[in-house]
Amino acid sequence: MAKIIHYRNKCIGCNICYEMQPELWRMSKKDGKATLLKATAKKDVFVLALNSNVELLAQEVKNACPVKIIKIL
């Protein structure tokens, strides 16, 4: 099972992740940055286990991120 890793502190709030995959992402009204839903956090690094039916789209979201702060392992 793959994991998605989001380095939230480096997020610029471009909204592409939310537009492409709203079931996994929300934009914070407090600071305008993306939030990975249902992820566990350690400081500003968020990790979420992905099931196979969302993994392919998550890979596309990772590739679309302009600051490359989304990783999939």
Side-chain angles (χ1 to χ4, degrees):
M1 183 178 289
K3 291 182 183 178
I4 188 168
I5 300 169
H6 180 231
Y7 297 91
R8 190 175 189 281
N9 61 334
K10 297 179 182 179
C11 180
I12 61 170
C14 72
N15 203 35
I16 193 75
C17 52
Y18 175 69
E19 288 178 17
M20 291 181 72
Q21 201 168 27
E23 65 273 11
L24 290 184
W25 300 94
R26 288 291 179 269
M27 299 306 293
S28 171
K29 291 181 181 179
K30 286 184 180 180
D31 62 7
K33 295 182 178 189
T35 301
L36 182 58
L37 300 176
K38 300 180 184 173
T40 56
K42 286 190 177 179
K43 300 188 181 185
D44 265 349
V45 178
F46 293 78
V47 179
L48 177 68
L50 294 174
N51 56 33
S52 58
N53 61 343
V54 296
E55 187 177 342
L56 186 60
L57 184 54
Q59 188 72 35
E60 291 178 25
V61 170
K62 173 189 101 73
N63 293 338
C65 178
V67 289
K68 306 299 181 204
I69 59 166
I70 301 169
K71 308 290 181 209
I72 297 180
L73 303 176

